[in-house]
Amino acid sequence: MGDLANSTGEAGAGGGFGCSLGELRALMELRGAEALLKVQEAYGDVHGLCRRLRTSPTDGLSEGAGELERRRQVFGQNWIPPKRPKTFAELVWEALQDVTLIILEAAAVVSLGLSFYTPPGGDTQACGHASGGVEDEGEAEAGWIEGAAILLSVACVVLVTAFNDWSKERQFRGLQSRIEQEQRVAVVRRGRQVQVPVAELVVGDVVQVKYGDLLPADGVLIQGNDLKIDESALTGESDHVRKSADKDPMLLSGTHVMEGSGKMVVTAVGVNSQSGIIFTLLGAGGEEEEEKKEKKGKPQDGAVVETLQSKAKKQDGAVAMEMQPLKSAEGGDVEERQRGGGHKKEKSVLQGKLTRLAVQIGKAGLAMSAVTVIILVLYFVIETFVVEGRPWLAECTPVYVQYWVKFFIIGVTVLVVAVPEGLPLAVTISLAYSVKKMMRDNNLVRHLDACETMGNATAICSDKTGTLTTNRMTVVQAFLGGTHFRAPPEPAAVAPPTRDLLLQAIAINSAYTTKILPPETAGGLPRQVGNKTECALLGLALALGGDYEALRAQVPEERLHKVYTFNSVRKSMSTVTRRPGGAFRLFSKGASEILLRRCCSVLGAGGEPRPFGPREREQLVREVVEPMAAAGLRTLVLAFRDFPPGPEPPWDDEAAIVTDLTCIAIVGIEDPVRPEVPEAIRKCQRAGITVRMVTGDNLNTARAIAAKCGILPPGEEWLCLEGREFNRRIRNQKGEVEQERLDKVWPKLRVLARSSPTDKHTLVKGIIDSTVGEQRQVVAVTGDGPTTAPLLKKADVGFAMVTASRGTDVAKEASDIILTDDNFSSIVKAVMWGRNVYDSISKFLQFQLTVNVVAVVVAFTGACITQVGAADSPLKAVQMLWVNLIMDTFASLALATEPPTEALLLRKPYGRDKPLISRTMLKNILGHAAYQLVIIFTLLFVGACCWTWTDGRQAPLHAPPSEHYTVIFNTFVMMQLFNEINARKVHGERNVFAGIFPNPIFCSIVLGTFAIQVAIVQFGGKPFSCSPLSAEQWLWCLFLGLGELLWGQVPRGAPTHGGGSDPRGEGSDSRRGALTHRGGTLTHGGRALTHAGGL
């Protein structure tokens, strides 16, 4: 920003160039015909603009590093200063908004305030002796500790959460910086195409733009081929805008190239580009303004939009462009952030369940707290005014108030004990630990909730090319001159006329940015740059002895007369060139079933055209195309058509142009299945996840690849449909999609071929909205191209495969998780980590709620039985705090950092509607709570009789800590320690030690907690109300604690209500078509299937 400011004066004077910074910024604010008129008036044409910027439309910049730096000084750098990151204090404030923490804070403040309350003194003898609620001196002095320690626990949770958010933001900023450094763009410099980092672009650079690109700067189109741009990020208009040098040449940074290709000269970079200006207005204006916007309904946004609209009204026509911010500094759309408060989808599965659980626990704790207070108050009133018959004396009022305040404190204590304050910390630690570890497994999580949502996935809709396959394509079969070659033909085997036409069709009718480069290492494979299908064709051209570079040099890209670029609807690409004498030649390549219908002739053995009617077409499809497709090959037809000299044909009428073709060749392109994909898909199927292939390829090829991947197991009855047949089945007579019709198709659908982006979106939306089965499907989508972006946004979890294709900027921004290695098996790891998050929370809940049930019952009993009897409570507030807070915090760290195992993939998805606490967990919680309560009450009421201890219940209020109550406290803690080991298994597994030793965090926390407990008991003294124990007493405590492990086998062996084991392990997945192996036989939905699947 400083450099830009310092150079304003120089830029204002032109800086030695023919146009100034302000002039170029004003130019880029124009649109359509008005922008074209301005270019013509000021510069003559785009070539005149290039001359003023001292660049060449064909050769680009020819300057050295010094001159490039000077351009940056004059016109600015291609870098937008990031929004100021949130401070640690702001993150702390955000973390404090958690509902559970607010409840804890309120309870702590009340407890802390009441601990300092001292009623007026006086003679209380006449007020009765029902003063069991009065604490001993030590307890009274330490009364503030409970409230302070609760606030300390809240501070601990808040600081951990804020630190996690801070480190996550720092990590993502570093990653974003790395991505920006690695993001490169093709520019022409000194007549050669080179790849340069986006940040190094300068005004005057000539940039190659193509399908899938995110434009890195503003520019004016020099030459375009059927170029269509998605400007919705800037304008809000979803329709793609057609760009051409003679109608609308203005290209804006931050917009996406959805079709075509071309070249542009850069006119504005960084903060001077249109998206940079918006960032400056909305981001660099200060965090305070943004916060005000959020609080006040964002009125300032309207002002910014109005300002930008006033500029946009300069465009041709009456339609005003509503300029909106491109994206926030966090990487998501600001529009989305405003709409959904930062979350682009509904509340995640785990969030919803945790919210419901917190409400249920809160209600139960509140009820128990209220009952405790009511019992204490009633007992006091009845004992004082009914049994003893004392009158209400005015001088006794302060004493009565003291009693009631004490009763309220006891009620708050019961409520605090009931609330699992370790739960937010457990969730935070589990998610943070998982996201960090997932980075090592090549899963970059962009939205935190996607991590645990993936654990509930029931379906994955995957793209084929580059996702299930390697995306390194080669031509392995060809039909040329009437001969079907099962391997790439030798040059001598092809007639020279046919060979020359084929080489021209390959070299000219393709993106000139697509190239085959020498291998980086000796003996390696040649590098494929650009579109991989075109690279396969270029490889065939080289194998036939052709020189595609020389052919392209004869027909430069600027001299191409008309280009119909490939898109998902057209499924073909055609290029028109002008021939000597005024004639034209059209080259076309595309899907075999589409282009063969447009061919009226085919080249024979000598290169001569032969008639090609319906009968010949049917024979060719049957004998050549179908066998290629059945072998999993992508089939392409290459064809041409000559137009005689004379009046030019109507090039805009594509249907009339791309017809009456002559077929040159049919090629079969192999894109091998990734070797790890079949095993990964088998793991998904075992885990109850249905994998569907959604592709634009033809049906036979898609079905063959699906069979190789294992998506279509042999002997099963699945559906494989083309997009056209899919629409026929799901739409009514009015052409509207009916959910009822769709519900009859998607459960068995495994392959959707020849599908448009709309078909893919319809399928994903239909699965998500379906009510078939007991629960809603949770759908994950993988993709690596612009056409998959709507799916990635609609799906519950969107995976972007970022290295398989260069056109992935759109997909990356739409995704939740980025797979940095494009490995489908990484999705399986994401499922494992997602389920592991769920299991970690379940383990902690099983442990925490057992502690809470016991603690609430003991606190309630202590309040209502021992307190009213003027005896001392068996577990003091500080001791309960240690058990309920410190141990739970350690337990959350221990249980939330368990690594995932392959066993997680042997269960079906949990589902959205299954309770977080399963029947097996509930059985374990109640079983262990019963054991602990029996032990504690036995020690409390019978312990002094069985052992030679002084009965703590008979001790006077000011007596020192007793061995009796210390043994009870120590035994209680030992039972929690051993139950922590039990809590590691939540699905009824008997071996609770499995995998414990490879987890050093768990082992060290258990041993560390034990060491601290020893120190508390032996040296805690009065503050912890502990008396040192002998070796024999320690052995008894350890023995009773160890009994937890033995007792743990009892609830595990008890049958779960309803028969069978945990429903979550037995197939809570309502998905149709779950695959299981039984004795080597594949079953579908519990039935053995033998009917072979067709279409």
Side-chain angles (χ1 to χ4, degrees):
M1 290 288 288
D3 291 342
L4 182 63
N6 293 336
S7 65
T8 304
E10 187 182 359
F17 297 93
C19 40
S20 67
L21 174 61
E23 186 180 334
L24 292 175
R25 282 182 59 158
L27 173 65
M28 295 313 299
E29 290 175 357
L30 304 178
R31 304 286 182 272
E34 189 173 0
L36 185 63
L37 182 62
K38 177 67 175 178
V39 170
Q40 292 171 346
E41 289 179 351
Y43 312 108
D45 56 14
V46 68
H47 291 80
L49 174 61
C50 290
R51 284 192 294 272
R52 299 272 285 272
L53 290 174
R54 301 211 309 247
T55 187
S56 166
T58 55
D59 295 338
L61 295 174
S62 303
E63 302 167 344
E67 283 298 311
L68 293 178
E69 185 59 33
R70 185 167 177 275
R71 286 180 182 266
R72 295 188 185 99
Q73 293 292 329
V74 174
F75 297 109
Q77 298 182 356
N78 195 28
W79 178 76
I80 298 175
K83 187 183 69 175
R84 179 180 68 83
K86 291 180 180 177
T87 63
F88 191 76
E90 290 170 332
L91 294 173
V92 166
W93 176 250
E94 286 185 2
L96 281 168
Q97 310 306 309
D98 184 86
V99 177
T100 308
L101 295 182
I102 290 174
I103 295 174
L104 280 172
E105 292 159 13
V109 169
V110 171
S111 178
L112 195 61
L114 292 178
S115 69
F116 292 112
Y117 171 77
T118 304
D123 181 19
T124 62
Q125 293 298 320
C127 302
H129 60 274
S131 56
V134 180
E135 306 154 314
D136 62 35
E137 184 181 353
E139 287 278 313
E141 291 178 356
W144 61 272
I145 293 179
E146 184 172 358
I150 294 170
L151 288 178
L152 183 64
S153 73
V154 170
C156 176
V157 172
V158 166
L159 290 175
V160 169
T161 304
F163 179 77
N164 177 46
D165 290 342
W166 176 80
S167 60
K168 184 184 71 173
E169 183 170 344
R170 189 161 165 260
Q171 179 186 31
F172 275 114
R173 282 180 180 270
L175 182 72
Q176 186 66 27
S177 175
R178 194 185 79 192
I179 290 174
E180 288 173 358
Q181 290 171 5
E182 293 177 353
Q183 189 177 3
R184 293 178 172 267
V185 62
V187 301
V188 179
R189 288 183 179 173
R190 299 181 179 177
R192 294 176 58 246
Q193 181 180 307
V194 293
Q195 298 283 329
V196 301
V198 167
E200 293 184 11
L201 272 184
V202 296
V203 170
D205 261 324
V206 175
V207 177
Q208 297 273 6
V209 297
K210 64 184 184 311
Y211 166 77
D213 278 350
L214 175 69
L215 294 182
D218 290 355
V220 178
L221 188 64
I222 299 172
Q223 174 265 330
N225 301 319
D226 200 24
L227 196 62
K228 289 183 181 177
I229 306 293
D230 177 8
E231 294 184 344
S232 59
L234 290 176
T235 67
E237 296 293 332
S238 58
D239 292 339
H240 298 165
V241 181
R242 185 181 294 275
K243 299 289 183 178
S244 62
D246 57 351
K247 290 183 180 178
D248 184 2
M250 314 309 283
L251 302 180
L252 306 177
S253 62
T255 58
H256 294 111
V257 181
M258 303 308 291
E259 287 186 32
S261 61
K263 286 194 301 186
M264 75 171 186
V265 58
V266 176
T267 54
V269 294
V271 294
N272 299 307
S273 65
Q274 291 300 293
S275 59
I277 293 171
I278 297 172
F279 270 122
T280 304
L281 289 171
L282 292 178
E287 189 76 20
E288 295 80 7
E289 292 180 9
E290 189 174 53
E291 287 178 1
K292 289 177 185 176
K293 291 178 219 170
E294 292 176 358
K295 292 178 182 177
K296 298 178 182 178
K298 306 173 183 61
Q300 287 91 337
D301 281 1
V304 172
V305 170
E306 281 181 18
T307 304
L308 296 168
Q309 280 178 335
S310 65
K311 297 179 182 177
K313 287 178 182 177
K314 299 176 185 177
Q315 69 174 345
D316 185 47
V319 181
M321 268 177 45
E322 186 182 31
M323 300 291 282
Q324 293 178 344
L326 171 64
K327 60 180 180 180
S328 70
E330 283 79 8
D333 290 352
V334 172
E335 184 184 356
E336 285 176 2
R337 189 163 51 108
Q338 293 169 355
R339 247 192 345 253
H343 296 282
K344 67 172 189 171
K345 300 187 178 82
E346 62 184 272
K347 184 180 289 186
S348 72
V349 180
L350 183 60
Q351 286 172 335
K353 292 184 178 182
L354 285 174
T355 301
R356 290 194 295 271
L357 181 65
V359 170
Q360 291 167 356
I361 291 177
K363 289 179 179 177
L366 195 61
M368 185 67 77
S369 173
V371 168
T372 302
V373 173
I374 291 170
I375 288 177
L376 289 173
V377 170
L378 287 177
Y379 184 92
F380 173 79
V381 170
I382 293 172
E383 176 74 13
T384 304
F385 301 113
V386 177
V387 175
E388 297 183 3
R390 294 181 182 275
W392 183 289
L393 302 176
E395 61 269 20
C396 291
T397 301
V399 178
Y400 299 151
V401 170
Q402 183 183 13
Y403 290 149
W404 292 333
V405 167
K406 174 60 180 176
F407 299 154
F408 181 73
I409 290 176
I410 293 172
V412 171
T413 303
V414 172
L415 175 60
V416 169
V417 167
V419 175
E421 59 267 22
L423 187 56
L425 185 63
V427 174
T428 299
I429 291 175
S430 181
L431 285 174
Y433 175 79
S434 298
V435 168
K436 184 177 180 182
K437 293 292 185 181
M438 286 174 73
M439 279 283 290
R440 298 181 184 177
D441 285 339
N442 303 303
N443 283 275
L444 171 59
V445 181
R446 296 183 69 244
H447 300 116
L448 203 61
D449 60 348
C451 173
E452 47 91 2
T453 303
M454 194 58 205
N456 290 278
T458 58
I460 298 175
C461 293
S462 174
D463 208 4
K464 177 180 75 69
T465 304
T467 306
L468 301 174
T469 60
T470 61
N471 204 29
R472 182 177 179 85
M473 302 191 188
T474 52
V475 174
V476 295
Q477 294 188 32
F479 176 82
L480 280 164
T483 304
H484 185 180
F485 295 93
R486 304 287 176 174
E490 296 293 328
V494 183
T498 303
R499 175 178 170 276
D500 292 343
L501 272 172
L502 179 61
L503 293 179
Q504 290 179 41
I506 291 174
I508 296 172
N509 187 32
S510 61
Y512 278 30
T513 54
T514 302
K515 296 180 180 180
I516 301 287
L517 300 179
E520 292 181 336
T521 58
L525 294 172
R527 286 179 292 154
Q528 295 185 341
V529 178
N531 183 280
K532 297 302 186 290
T533 304
E534 293 179 347
C535 285
L537 295 175
L538 293 180
L540 175 63
L542 294 174
L544 291 174
D547 183 354
Y548 67 88
E549 292 282 14
L551 291 171
R552 288 175 174 176
Q554 294 173 13
V555 187
E557 200 168 8
E558 308 81 53
R559 287 175 49 195
L560 298 178
H561 194 73
K562 177 69 176 177
V563 177
Y564 305 94
T565 57
F566 177 87
N567 63 35
S568 56
V569 177
R570 190 178 283 142
K571 299 206 181 292
S572 66
M573 175 182 179
S574 303
T575 302
V576 179
T577 62
R578 187 186 292 272
R579 304 185 69 196
F584 296 93
R585 173 168 286 175
L586 168 86
F587 290 110
S588 189
K589 69 171 185 282
S592 54
E593 66 269 29
I594 292 175
L595 280 196
L596 282 179
R597 288 198 298 267
R598 300 176 184 173
C599 290
C600 62
S601 59
V602 62
L603 294 183
E608 74 287 352
R610 297 183 313 184
F612 187 65
R615 182 178 300 175
E616 291 82 7
R617 182 184 307 115
E618 184 180 338
Q619 181 181 358
L620 192 61
V621 168
R622 186 174 61 253
E623 295 179 356
V624 176
V625 175
E626 289 183 354
M628 284 185 181
L633 304 183
R634 170 180 286 184
T635 58
L636 287 183
V637 168
L638 292 96
F640 78 103
R641 177 185 178 184
D642 284 332
F643 294 88
E648 286 196 26
W651 299 118
D652 289 335
D653 186 1
E654 183 182 349
I657 300 297
V658 188
T659 188
D660 293 335
L661 305 175
T662 299
C663 176
I664 304 171
I666 303 174
V667 296
I669 299 175
E670 182 181 45
D671 186 9
V673 172
R674 291 177 176 270
E676 68 277 358
V677 163
E679 178 60 24
I681 288 178
R682 278 194 294 272
K683 288 181 179 179
C684 286
Q685 292 168 340
R686 283 200 300 270
I689 301 171
T690 303
V691 180
R692 295 179 174 86
M693 179 194 293
V694 184
T695 179
D697 219 330
N698 78 55
L699 183 60
N700 290 334
T701 302
R703 187 167 49 183
I705 295 293
K708 289 181 181 179
C709 293
I711 294 175
L712 297 176
E716 300 297 331
E717 185 179 4
W718 308 122
L719 277 178
C720 300
L721 299 177
E722 283 189 333
R724 185 172 50 188
E725 173 64 14
F726 173 71
N727 278 287
R728 188 188 66 78
R729 293 192 181 202
I730 66 171
R731 296 182 186 273
N732 58 23
Q733 295 178 347
K734 299 179 181 178
E736 300 168 340
V737 176
E738 288 187 357
Q739 186 66 44
E740 185 179 350
R741 291 171 177 252
L742 190 54
D743 287 343
K744 295 178 182 178
V745 174
W746 72 259
K748 290 187 177 182
L749 182 68
R750 292 298 177 271
V751 175
L752 182 59
R754 286 291 179 234
S755 56
S756 67
T758 304
D759 297 336
K760 298 175 185 179
H761 191 273
T762 301
L763 174 63
V764 171
K765 184 179 183 298
I767 296 176
I768 291 175
D769 294 345
S770 176
T771 56
V772 172
E774 299 175 357
Q775 60 192 26
R776 172 169 107 58
Q777 295 283 303
V778 179
V779 183
V781 168
T782 68
D784 64 349
T787 58
T788 60
L791 281 78
L792 296 175
K793 279 188 175 265
K794 177 62 182 175
D796 294 288
V797 183
F799 286 88
M801 321 282 273
V802 298
T803 62
S805 165
R806 292 180 53 83
T808 55
D809 294 326
V810 189
K812 185 173 66 179
E813 289 195 358
S815 68
D816 298 295
I817 299 176
I818 296 175
L819 296 182
T820 57
D821 65 344
D822 281 6
N823 195 330
F824 189 86
S825 63
S826 295
I827 298 175
V828 179
K829 294 177 182 176
V831 172
M832 287 172 58
W833 278 110
R835 293 187 175 189
N836 194 61
V837 168
Y838 237 76
D839 272 15
S840 296
I841 305 304
S842 298
K843 292 171 186 177
F844 176 75
L845 279 173
Q846 182 169 290
F847 173 78
Q848 169 87 69
L849 294 181
T850 302
V851 178
N852 283 16
V853 168
V854 176
V856 166
V857 173
V858 170
F860 177 81
T861 305
C864 298
I865 298 177
T866 61
Q867 289 277 336
V868 297
D872 206 0
S873 177
L875 292 177
K876 301 298 191 327
V878 176
Q879 295 173 348
M880 293 290 284
L881 199 64
W882 159 244
V883 173
N884 196 47
L885 169 67
I886 309 300
M887 278 189 62
D888 291 352
T889 303
F890 288 161
S892 66
L893 182 60
L895 295 172
T897 54
E898 290 263 326
T901 64
E902 291 282 340
L904 291 167
L905 298 177
L906 300 178
R907 298 193 303 272
K908 299 295 184 289
Y910 293 161
R912 282 187 170 269
D913 303 323
K914 291 294 176 182
L916 197 57
I917 301 175
S918 66
R919 290 173 180 172
T920 300
M921 288 173 60
L922 187 61
K923 186 175 61 177
N924 290 336
I925 291 169
L926 296 178
H928 289 291
Y931 172 83
Q932 294 181 20
L933 288 171
V934 167
I935 296 295
I936 288 173
F937 288 133
T938 300
L939 290 174
L940 177 61
F941 295 109
V942 189
C945 303
C946 299
W947 290 276
T948 57
W949 302 331
T950 303
D951 193 344
R953 293 179 300 152
Q954 306 302 324
L957 287 177
H958 298 285
S962 66
E963 291 180 347
H964 183 195
Y965 278 8
T966 303
V967 168
I968 292 176
F969 166 59
N970 198 33
T971 302
F972 184 44
V973 172
M974 290 300 106
M975 288 190 294
Q976 307 317 318
L977 270 181
F978 286 104
N979 191 39
E980 197 169 333
I981 299 174
N982 277 325
R984 294 182 63 251
K985 305 297 178 183
V986 292
H987 299 291
E989 303 95 325
R990 288 192 175 275
N991 184 7
V992 295
F993 291 98
I996 191 173
F997 297 110
N999 187 0
I1001 297 178
F1002 184 90
C1003 297
S1004 59
I1005 286 177
V1006 170
L1007 293 176
T1009 307
F1010 178 76
I1012 296 174
Q1013 176 66 15
V1014 171
I1016 288 175
V1017 170
Q1018 298 302 113
F1019 310 106
K1022 183 78 173 174
F1024 281 94
S1025 301
C1026 287
S1027 174
L1029 300 181
S1030 65
E1032 180 186 357
Q1033 291 166 335
W1034 266 104
L1035 287 175
W1036 274 111
C1037 294
L1038 286 171
F1039 172 74
L1040 294 173
L1042 188 63
E1044 265 286 0
L1045 289 177
L1046 302 175
W1047 174 260
Q1049 300 300 315
V1050 176
R1052 281 181 167 79
T1056 304
H1057 177 69
S1061 59
D1062 185 358
R1064 298 194 304 182
E1066 271 294 309
S1068 61
D1069 177 26
S1070 63
R1071 170 187 66 81
R1072 293 187 183 181
L1075 282 175
T1076 53
H1077 284 274
R1078 296 182 182 174
T1081 303
L1082 277 167
T1083 63
H1084 175 232
R1087 308 188 312 274
L1089 294 176
T1090 56
H1091 181 65
L1095 290 186

